[in-house]
Amino acid sequence: MNFTYPIFLWGLSALAIPIIVHLFNFRKAKKVSFSNVRFLESIKKQSSSNLRLRHLLILFCRLLFVFFLVLTFTQPFIHGSENGLQNRSVQLYLDNSNSLSNLTKNDISGFNELIGVAQEVVNLYPQETQFNLFTNDFLPGSSISQSKTKTLERLTEVEYSNLTRSGKEIFTKLQSSDPNESKDVFILSDFQQPTTGTFDAIVDSINQYHIVAVATPEQRNISVDTVFLTNPFLVPNQKNSVQVRLKNQGPLVNDLQVKFFINDQQSATTSIDIEANSSHTVIFELSGQLNKTNRCRISFEDFPITFDNDYYFSLNQAAQINIVEVSNQADSPVSKVYKNNDLFSVESYQSESISYPALERADLIVINGLSKLENGLKAQIEKHLTKGSTVIFIPNENAASYQFASFALERDSSVSKSPLSIPDIKNPFFENIFESISNDTQMPNVSASFKWSANNVQLLKTKTGQPFLSHLFQKGNLYVFAGPLAAPYTNFHQHALFVPVMHRIAEQSSTNHQALAFNVDRINLTLPVDSIPNGQLYKLQKEGAELIPSQRVSANELVLDMPKYLLTPGFYDLTLGDQLFTTIAFNHSKKESNLSTLPIEEIEARLSGIKHLNLYQPQDAASFSKILKEKYHQRELWKYTLILSLIFLFAESVLLRFL
């Protein structure tokens, strides 16, 4: 045992005081006055041995009281069992993601508990220690070492971050400094399963790692899983609805009020019950006139996790999909099926009078029943596919073969007419087209009179296994029919299946479709645009704040490199000069809403390659500081000596009163 202030050991000389009191007080003769001898019978007889024992016990208590009181002033301690916390270079990663708003068993947020732990860690080191404090923002200044005082100031300024970091990102950042310098590394996090993810084995035999995992007893939360339109395109005067899938990570929730806002006006509300650990879909009908761009929000109340109680998304009226058909057939079934829908803008040209500027602007080119492809048209098809656009090719009954864009189509005269088999509705192409198709459904008859050898996805095929409609990927999307759409060869164009199939191909060819919402941690954003005018840049504006992201145009798409550490959930207007281009909605990462955490045993297994590894799951910041002090610094004993001194003082009082 050692002493912080050994000079107070001189106080042990005070042990002579109880001894002196014992010698001169207990041995002093006592004079007892009485008036008559007959009163002597009322006096208790005490043996000399009993008196001596009582006096010795009192002396013993007094001596121990003084002894432990003196030891309290000397502040005794025992050296820590291990060497550590001696480096003058410390790296401290503090997880400040929104999931740490979850409550610990101390009824405070995990974030506040980790802030307290971080402050205790810093205070364990001497004043000359240099610290590197990292948070999820990975700010440029975090790589610069700072003093103990400055680090404590920064800890008081740390707030929740909208960014999430994987385990791989965290360890890569921590190991980016001098690999030959020994450091103490502290990682303070809740170690969420979705965000931590998997990472390469960490091998480190130099640095001392201290992993602190905050414990949250309850992991319940309700969040928006997905939001989508029943009809993916918002077209004026056409019925549509918003489908919202809510996810419950916890026990049964009754009477949850879900509200739907359009342009800051409440449009609808509903009350739902969500079973434990399940999902529930809510449908809001879109009624009334909508603007070209609409700011929408789903809102509900769910405690204690509130950061994801609002989900933002934008509803933009769909731009028309430009379709150009090249066909010598007047008023073909293809042009009819597209002309009846306001979403599509259709132009038809004969092979002798093709408008190549129209082909340049087209989202979808339909080559329908041409017996021969001119070189100019072949070149346009290849160019269209190269830039990622869509082409539908329908052969002519009199043609022998076709060859374009490194693709060959040959006639197969051995094939006879056969009915189509039931489509595979599990194929993503048919998603949300059919809920189910009965095996008794009468399918159209087709003649698959052409064949090809290229790799393809068969969307429709005959009962004999011959492909009739296939999807080929040639940089763009090439859809090929194995036979003409004419009465002698098929009645497919007269069947109920024809319209949804042709509409789906056209819808997937759209280059103007914008996602309803994005996550704030998205690295880049891609939007359809032709070009960036010279001297102008697209800007993101929100409530007076303005961001100018790095940007470039590639294949008629605007690519924005997002400054994700500056983004916050909500709506941003994308402007070019004074003109509004579109409105973009951002939300928290969906991974952050999943509060499941890694068990401490799994964390240890993943970090088994670290030689000096210590894992903690402390009750609170004070207990963590005590653990580190006793392990690496010293175990203070003054509290125990003070308690013992008070115990013996109380024992003396009892002996004097009752014995």
Side-chain angles (χ1 to χ4, degrees):
M1 184 170 62
N2 297 275
F3 304 97
T4 305
Y5 305 106
I7 192 171
F8 283 104
L9 290 174
W10 287 103
L12 292 177
S13 59
L15 292 173
I17 297 175
I19 298 175
I20 294 173
V21 171
H22 174 76
L23 293 175
F24 292 95
N25 187 37
F26 288 150
R27 293 190 178 186
K28 182 179 178 182
K30 291 184 180 181
K31 183 178 179 180
V32 179
S33 302
F34 54 92
S35 60
N36 202 319
V37 176
R38 62 189 177 88
F39 289 108
L40 291 176
E41 295 178 357
S42 64
I43 300 175
K44 279 188 176 183
K45 294 183 178 180
Q46 293 182 337
S47 65
S48 60
S49 60
N50 289 340
L51 286 174
R52 189 178 299 111
L53 176 61
R54 176 175 179 269
H55 295 165
L56 289 176
L57 287 175
I58 294 174
L59 174 63
F60 179 73
C61 288
R62 288 175 176 174
L63 289 173
L64 290 178
F65 164 71
V66 174
F67 175 76
F68 286 115
L69 184 63
V70 171
L71 288 185
T72 301
F73 283 98
T74 63
Q75 294 194 15
F77 64 89
I78 299 175
H79 281 296
S81 58
E82 299 182 20
N83 293 325
L85 305 187
Q86 298 175 353
N87 286 311
R88 294 298 176 259
S89 179
V90 179
Q91 287 185 324
L92 180 62
Y93 166 72
L94 174 63
D95 186 356
N96 59 335
S97 58
N98 284 286
S99 63
L100 283 163
S101 58
N102 199 9
L103 299 181
T104 66
K105 62 182 180 180
N106 299 319
D107 207 27
I108 64 172
S109 68
F111 175 69
N112 287 332
E113 188 154 296
L114 287 185
I115 287 287
V117 169
Q119 291 171 336
E120 293 289 345
V121 167
V122 175
N123 285 322
L124 288 173
Y125 286 86
Q127 196 66 34
E128 62 271 16
T129 305
Q130 294 294 305
F131 296 87
N132 292 101
L133 176 61
F134 299 96
T135 62
N136 285 353
D137 297 312
F138 283 3
L139 296 176
S142 59
S143 300
I144 302 174
S145 298
Q146 295 180 324
S147 66
K148 178 178 180 178
T149 303
K150 185 64 177 178
T151 302
L152 288 172
E153 290 178 3
R154 281 193 60 197
L155 285 172
T156 62
E157 300 169 356
V158 176
E159 298 178 348
Y160 286 105
S161 172
N162 296 317
L163 298 179
T164 59
R165 296 293 179 182
S166 66
K168 182 178 181 181
E169 289 178 301
I170 295 169
F171 282 100
T172 300
K173 185 68 175 178
L174 292 173
Q175 293 181 325
S176 61
S177 58
D178 187 0
N180 297 320
E181 181 185 3
S182 176
K183 299 177 288 293
D184 286 344
V185 181
F186 288 85
I187 300 177
L188 284 57
S189 174
D190 57 354
F191 291 94
Q192 278 183 278
Q193 286 185 346
T195 57
T196 303
T198 58
F199 46 87
D200 298 334
I202 308 300
V203 179
D204 194 334
S205 59
I206 298 177
N207 300 316
Q208 186 93 15
Y209 284 81
H210 302 272
I211 311 297
V212 181
V214 66
T216 50
E218 292 190 0
Q219 298 173 351
R220 54 189 177 91
N221 184 32
I222 299 176
S223 60
V224 175
D225 185 37
T226 53
V227 173
F228 59 94
L229 289 171
T230 303
N231 182 342
F233 294 90
L234 187 64
V235 180
N237 304 319
Q238 287 189 8
K239 290 185 177 181
N240 211 334
S241 60
V242 174
Q243 298 194 31
V244 182
R245 183 178 293 119
L246 295 170
K247 186 177 181 180
N248 178 21
Q249 183 191 340
L252 169 68
V253 175
N254 292 313
D255 195 26
L256 179 69
Q257 301 294 319
V258 183
K259 301 176 182 179
F260 176 39
F261 294 85
I262 301 179
N263 298 323
D264 294 327
Q265 297 293 324
Q266 184 171 324
S267 175
T269 184
T270 185
S271 177
I272 62 172
D273 300 332
I274 309 181
E275 296 293 332
N277 300 311
S278 64
S279 298
H280 187 94
T281 299
V282 182
I283 300 178
F284 295 106
E285 297 293 335
L286 293 174
S287 58
Q289 294 294 325
L290 295 177
N291 301 330
K292 184 177 180 180
T293 299
N294 304 276
R295 299 185 174 196
C296 303
R297 174 167 57 93
I298 302 296
S299 181
F300 53 88
E301 293 185 1
D302 170 41
F303 298 98
I305 308 300
T306 60
F307 74 89
D308 55 1
N309 287 1
D310 290 299
Y311 187 88
Y312 305 91
F313 61 100
S314 59
L315 291 180
N316 302 324
Q317 288 186 8
Q320 282 191 317
I321 299 173
N322 296 319
I323 301 173
V324 174
E325 181 191 21
V326 181
S327 175
N328 293 326
Q329 181 182 357
D331 203 18
S332 70
V334 174
S335 61
K336 287 181 181 179
V337 78
Y338 290 135
K339 285 180 179 178
N340 294 330
N341 194 312
D342 294 336
L343 178 61
F344 308 120
S345 172
V346 185
E347 297 179 75
S348 297
Y349 299 94
Q350 293 189 350
S351 58
E352 300 86 12
S353 58
I354 299 175
S355 172
Y356 286 97
L359 293 179
E360 288 278 356
R361 297 190 304 268
D363 298 309
L364 170 63
I365 295 177
V366 182
I367 308 299
N368 184 9
L370 299 184
S371 58
K372 182 181 179 182
L373 299 180
E374 299 295 337
N375 290 333
L377 183 57
K378 287 183 180 181
Q380 190 62 45
I381 293 173
E382 185 169 357
K383 181 179 179 181
H384 203 68
L385 292 173
T386 301
K387 69 178 184 179
S389 298
T390 303
V391 173
I392 297 177
F393 186 83
I394 305 170
N396 182 280
E397 63 270 20
N398 297 321
S401 64
Y402 296 94
Q403 189 168 358
F404 59 92
S406 303
F407 171 71
L409 190 70
E410 297 180 353
R411 191 172 185 85
D412 186 3
S413 57
S414 63
V415 177
S416 60
K417 188 179 290 188
S418 172
L420 288 177
S421 60
I422 301 296
D424 180 11
I425 61 175
K426 294 182 180 179
N427 189 310
F429 179 85
F430 295 103
E431 185 177 2
N432 297 326
I433 292 182
F434 309 107
E435 290 185 2
S436 62
I437 300 180
S438 172
N439 292 329
D440 298 330
T441 302
Q442 185 176 359
M443 299 298 293
N445 294 318
V446 300
S447 177
S449 51
F450 285 83
K451 62 181 180 179
W452 53 87
S453 59
N455 293 330
N456 63 92
V457 176
Q458 297 180 9
L459 302 177
L460 295 173
K461 60 183 178 180
T462 66
K463 289 187 176 181
T464 59
Q466 299 296 321
F468 179 69
L469 173 60
S470 293
H471 184 191
L472 295 89
F473 302 91
Q474 300 216 349
K475 294 185 178 179
N477 298 290
L478 176 61
Y479 293 87
V480 179
F481 283 88
L485 299 180
Y489 298 92
T490 182
N491 63 340
F492 174 66
H493 55 286
Q494 299 172 341
H495 193 272
L497 186 62
F498 179 64
V499 173
V501 167
M502 299 303 289
H503 278 196
R504 175 53 56 90
I505 295 175
E507 290 169 358
Q508 292 186 345
S509 70
S510 173
T511 58
N512 297 315
H513 192 57
Q514 177 184 319
L516 300 184
F518 300 92
N519 292 338
V520 293
D521 59 353
R522 191 180 180 95
I523 297 176
N524 53 57
L525 207 73
T526 302
L527 299 170
V529 69
D530 293 331
S531 62
I532 301 179
N534 292 332
Q536 296 191 52
L537 292 173
Y538 286 92
K539 301 177 182 179
L540 290 171
Q541 296 179 338
K542 177 187 178 184
E543 300 172 354
E546 186 176 86
L547 302 175
I548 304 178
S550 174
Q551 51 199 267
R552 61 191 182 277
V553 173
S554 175
N556 295 330
E557 289 183 330
L558 174 65
V559 181
L560 302 175
D561 297 326
M562 305 306 296
K564 58 183 184 179
Y565 59 91
L566 297 177
L567 293 176
T568 57
F571 298 102
Y572 285 82
D573 290 332
L574 183 65
T575 60
L576 183 64
D578 297 330
Q579 183 179 1
L580 175 64
F581 181 73
T582 188
T583 297
I584 306 173
F586 289 94
N587 293 287
H588 292 284
S589 172
K590 294 178 184 177
K591 294 180 179 179
E592 197 66 16
S593 297
N594 187 343
L595 303 181
S596 59
T597 57
L598 292 173
I600 198 75
E601 297 80 12
E602 186 170 347
I603 299 173
E604 184 176 15
R606 293 190 182 191
L607 303 178
S608 57
I610 297 177
K611 183 177 180 180
H612 308 291
L613 177 66
N614 305 276
L615 284 89
Y616 310 92
Q617 202 165 37
Q619 303 293 328
D620 50 40
S623 64
F624 177 70
S625 176
K626 180 181 178 182
I627 291 171
L628 289 187
K629 283 181 179 179
E630 293 180 355
K631 186 175 182 179
Y632 297 111
H633 283 179
Q634 59 192 29
R635 182 176 182 180
E636 297 177 345
L637 304 177
W638 65 270
K639 292 181 181 179
Y640 303 105
T641 57
L642 178 60
I643 292 172
L644 288 173
S645 66
L646 294 176
I647 289 174
F648 286 110
L649 179 62
F650 176 75
E652 178 194 354
S653 301
V654 171
L655 290 173
L656 289 175
R657 183 175 181 84
F658 298 105
L659 291 183

